[in-house]
Amino acid sequence: MSRQTADSAVVIGLEVHLQLNTATKIFCGCPTRFGAPPNSQVCPVCLGFPGVLPVLNRQVLRYGIRVALGLNCSIQPKIVFHRKNYFYPDLPKAFQISQYDLPLGSSGFVDLENKKVRINRVHMEEDAGKLIHKEGEPASLVDYNRCGIPLLEIVSEPDLCSPEEAYAYLKTLKGILQYLEVSDCDMEKGSLRCDANVSLRPQPDVLGAKVEIKNLNSFKAVARSLSYEIRRQGEILEEGGRVVQETRLWDDVKGVTQGMRSKEFAHDYRYFPEPDLVPFSVSTEEVEAVRAALPELPAQRARRFMAAYGLPPADARQLTAEKATADYFEQCVKALPAPVENKRGKVFANWIVSDISREINERGLENIQALGFPPSSLIELIGLVESGAISGKMAKEVFIESLASKKSPAAVVAAKGMSQVTDRQAIREAALAVIQEQPKAAEDFRNGKAQALMFMVGQLMKKTKGAASPAISQEILKELLGGENS
Amino acid sequence: MEISPKEVEYLAQLCRLELTPEELKLFAPQIKEILSYVEILKSAPTHNTPPTTHVLSLANVYREDQIRPSLDTEKALANAPAREGPFFKVPKVIDAS
Ligand SMILES: [Zn+2]
């Protein structure tokens, strides 16, 4: 039987809503442009006027199949829409057209580094309008531009056991969705949204009460809110209490979840088949056509990078997790004269997964494109190192300076008068000084300890503030020291 | 099947209907009667019949992803009980605490 550990006691499932980037809404011809003036992209259909008929946008179905297949789901041959009834002013019809027992896709999975997370279902539905609550006034303002924008709801099985795993799942899922090019996946614009379900097993074989967390505006918020909820529920159980099944809102500023005391959210949706939309049949041919047109997905691309450039699995994974990063890498290596040897491929990969990724994270940027350091700049920078114009250490400085000044690496080197010291006389002088300062290391090297040389090269680099060419430094030190290793 | 006034009250709440205690008592037996009438359908043998969601023989009615003109904002708001600028104005429903 499973051991009761803090980890195995936690059960997390995630619901992701993805806005599709179709030109028009799911059931009417209104445009879906983001940021349009309030209530300027509405019509009798999406405003729910009486007597109107919704008609399905064919592209929504195609995109839906594409996503479902990308997540390894099987496709429902007969598709039916249902009305999900609930009363809230963001839905002018007082029901949402969604899918119930015959979702578009089911039984899929997403592979994480150490785990397979099962996908319960992928279904199509319409988005709701946007409410603006007026502070201190018992009124809300409504903009229905978003109402009727096509959504896919992607529901995971409760296979996740920690906030970190939930975070990793979302990152991986977002990566796949970006590759599928059906959405801009921008959480800030709300085109990718997430709700979390979390429960703690009071005993190994007993399911705990499920708490749903809403109002999660970033993947970090998902992880933080889950950590908070796990702690909160754990404390209740420890004190012998019972967790209440409810929906709670995440407050990102206070870092807490808070219960919603609203009967309006009582889950009694009274689903019934949408009479205004006749059923849809999806033929095997149609599914296979969409499957054949699927792009290369992150896992496949990582395998290709490993084979083509000899990248280690971890680097290949990191490089391909986001489409923009993988495209960047490929733009770099494609610009190099063929064939690109493994070693050169690795140099570019290293820069991207270390220095460049660090800057993206530290600046909280959306992706590599937002950094303002195009592939041509990285090629130029690495070229400067390879030609011996600057040292690897200087390159890191040039990179930071290039980001700050928005100048190309070559321009930075020229402007700062940076260049690697390749002047043999200057290096020889520094080397002599190092030998004098480090008699023990010099002695060790003469006695056959090869590592002593690397230490002395390091000292020499320090002396020249990283400007000396390591290759020439090594050569001159060896020459000066003579000894058995020369 | 018994229908209590309490169940009618819940139903009324879901339907956004405001009923008086007298009405709740009045409607409870009526709803019961309607339901028991529909109950008769349960006796029909249906295990070999797939569920019917639509009675029309139509299927696969699509439109292509092409923009059609939306309503003018003024027109869209014309029948709104309340508005503020380009927004519909509604009573606040949410009660988070
Ligand atoms: Zn519309």
Side-chain angles (χ1 to χ4, degrees):
Chain A
M1 278 321 306
S2 64
R3 209 155 36 96
Q4 165 113 31
T5 63
D7 247 20
S8 70
V10 175
V11 182
I12 299 168
L14 297 176
E15 251 178 47
V16 167
H17 285 94
L18 180 74
Q19 269 186 359
L20 299 175
N21 59 6
T22 50
T24 66
K25 293 187 177 180
I26 182 168
F27 299 123
C28 65
C30 287
T32 55
R33 200 159 46 91
F34 181 78
N39 293 306
S40 65
Q41 300 182 154
V42 293
C43 75
V45 174
C46 55
L47 286 173
F49 286 1
V52 294
L53 271 185
V55 186
L56 179 65
N57 180 345
R58 182 145 209 181
Q59 189 73 333
V60 173
L61 183 63
R62 285 194 204 105
Y63 280 178
I65 296 172
R66 191 171 160 91
V67 169
L69 289 178
L71 300 176
N72 307 294
C73 289
S74 35
I75 305 295
Q76 184 71 241
K78 186 192 175 194
I79 288 164
V80 173
F81 285 93
H82 277 71
R83 288 187 181 181
K84 179 181 180 178
N85 296 279
Y86 69 89
F87 178 82
Y88 199 61
D90 62 356
L91 272 179
K93 303 193 295 291
F95 62 83
Q96 178 190 30
I97 303 179
S98 181
Q99 292 194 274
Y100 184 48
D101 55 348
L102 298 167
L104 175 61
S106 53
S107 313
F109 63 87
V110 167
D111 273 322
L112 302 190
E113 203 164 345
N114 311 309
K115 185 171 220 171
K116 184 169 282 211
V117 179
R118 291 168 301 152
I119 300 291
N120 174 287
R121 61 190 279 148
V122 174
H123 77 236
M124 299 172 281
E125 61 185 29
E126 57 180 342
D127 207 345
K130 214 159 84 186
L131 284 182
I132 299 151
H133 299 296
K134 296 209 75 180
E135 211 52 58
E137 232 189 281
S140 303
L141 303 182
V142 205
D143 172 9
Y144 288 117
N145 281 349
R146 198 177 65 182
C147 196
I149 288 187
L151 288 181
L152 290 182
E153 181 173 312
I154 302 164
V155 185
S156 85
E157 294 286 356
D159 288 348
L160 301 157
C161 303
S162 68
E164 294 75 28
E165 258 181 29
Y167 186 84
Y169 164 78
L170 288 171
K171 275 278 198 193
T172 308
L173 180 66
K174 184 181 171 189
I176 295 169
L177 296 172
Q178 282 173 332
Y179 274 73
L180 293 169
E181 293 184 320
V182 295
S183 169
D184 61 12
C185 301
D186 187 340
M187 281 196 94
E188 273 172 31
K189 284 196 218 157
S191 43
L192 185 70
R193 309 198 280 270
C194 179
D195 298 331
N197 285 306
V198 57
S199 64
L200 258 56
R201 292 177 187 271
Q203 278 142 48
D205 305 321
V206 181
L207 277 174
K210 202 163 74 174
V211 170
E212 185 180 22
I213 315 172
K214 286 183 178 279
N215 198 35
L216 300 168
N217 296 320
S218 66
F219 290 173
K220 286 213 176 82
V222 175
R224 282 178 65 212
S225 72
L226 285 169
S227 296
Y228 175 86
E229 259 309 297
I230 290 165
R231 207 169 51 242
R232 186 186 74 87
Q233 294 181 23
E235 281 166 12
I236 294 175
L237 293 176
E238 236 161 66
E239 286 161 12
R242 271 189 54 190
V243 176
V244 182
Q245 177 156 343
E246 62 177 340
T247 298
R248 297 176 69 86
L249 288 182
W250 171 246
D251 184 326
D252 207 49
V253 179
K254 292 187 189 143
V256 298
T257 62
Q258 288 171 319
M260 294 171 70
R261 260 190 250 128
S262 176
K263 272 189 190 160
E264 317 303 341
F265 282 84
H267 291 218
D268 192 342
Y269 294 134
R270 293 152 292 143
Y271 282 97
F272 65 87
E274 166 58 84
D276 292 343
L277 286 161
V278 291
F280 299 88
S281 55
V282 183
S283 68
T284 321
E285 292 76 43
E286 195 170 352
V287 173
E288 289 316 311
V290 176
R291 196 195 301 278
L294 279 182
E296 184 184 43
L297 294 174
Q300 292 161 276
R301 203 169 189 187
R303 280 196 291 276
R304 182 165 61 79
F305 282 4
M306 283 161 65
Y309 308 107
L311 301 184
D315 286 1
R317 225 189 142 79
Q318 196 189 330
L319 214 51
T320 52
E322 285 215 17
K323 187 172 185 299
T325 313
D327 288 348
Y328 185 98
F329 172 73
E330 283 212 288
Q331 279 163 33
C332 288
V333 293
K334 279 198 179 130
L336 300 174
V340 178
E341 294 159 38
N342 285 355
K343 220 177 116 195
R344 290 197 83 195
K346 266 188 205 164
V347 171
F348 281 89
N350 279 340
W351 267 95
I352 297 169
V353 300
S354 57
D355 294 76
I356 291 182
S357 294
R358 191 193 57 232
E359 289 305 314
I360 294 169
N361 289 338
E362 276 179 10
R363 290 157 196 243
L365 299 175
E366 174 70 19
N367 60 35
I368 200 163
Q369 278 156 1
L371 189 60
F373 195 74
S376 57
S377 290
L378 185 59
I379 291 168
E380 193 175 293
L381 183 62
I382 289 173
L384 287 166
V385 178
E386 283 176 344
S387 70
I390 57 170
S391 70
K393 201 178 161 216
M394 287 160 81
K396 292 178 189 290
E397 235 176 275
V398 171
F399 169 59
I400 298 298
E401 182 58 32
S402 174
L403 290 181
S405 65
K406 308 224 180 298
K407 282 188 197 143
S408 83
V412 169
V413 169
K416 295 211 126 192
M418 289 166 108
S419 67
Q420 183 167 239
V421 177
T422 51
D423 173 356
R424 292 186 157 261
Q425 189 48 42
I427 294 179
R428 183 178 292 270
E429 272 161 31
L432 282 169
V434 168
I435 292 171
Q436 225 164 36
E437 286 161 19
Q438 308 286 346
K440 170 93 173 59
E443 189 56 29
D444 284 350
F445 179 72
R446 288 196 186 99
N447 291 336
K449 250 179 101 180
Q451 311 96 284
L453 182 69
M454 288 331 289
F455 168 74
M456 294 180 79
V457 170
Q459 292 297 310
L460 199 155
M461 298 300 285
K462 219 166 144 188
K463 211 174 229 351
T464 59
K465 300 196 165 58
S469 152
I472 298 175
S473 302
Q474 200 167 329
E475 194 189 309
I476 288 177
L477 274 166
K478 267 191 191 173
E479 198 183 294
L480 290 173
L481 290 164
E484 284 158 33
N485 284 293
S486 60
Chain B
M1 192 199 283
E2 266 321 307
I3 297 290
S4 67
K6 198 147 183 61
E7 281 166 297
V8 181
E9 191 185 354
Y10 176 66
L11 198 60
Q13 198 248 328
L14 287 175
C15 303
R16 280 356 190 235
L17 290 173
E18 202 174 344
L19 300 181
T20 63
E22 293 71 43
E23 284 169 322
L24 293 178
K25 267 192 224 125
L26 173 73
F27 292 140
Q30 290 183 10
I31 290 170
K32 182 197 160 184
E33 205 171 311
I34 293 164
L35 285 177
S36 55
Y37 183 68
V38 178
E39 285 276 277
I40 299 169
L41 289 174
K42 275 193 182 164
S43 59
T46 55
H47 7 276
N48 291 324
T49 315
T52 305
T53 54
H54 297 77
V55 289
L56 294 170
S57 56
L58 269 175
N60 303 334
V61 179
Y62 301 103
R63 41 173 274 274
E64 289 306 322
D65 188 21
Q66 273 151 14
I67 294 176
R68 291 182 57 184
S70 293
L71 274 183
D72 179 77
T73 304
E74 282 309 312
K75 237 178 184 171
L77 286 159
N79 293 328
R83 62 179 282 186
E84 189 172 313
F87 294 99
F88 291 86
K89 192 172 177 179
V90 298
K92 195 178 249 175
V93 173
I94 199 163
D95 178 25
S97 48

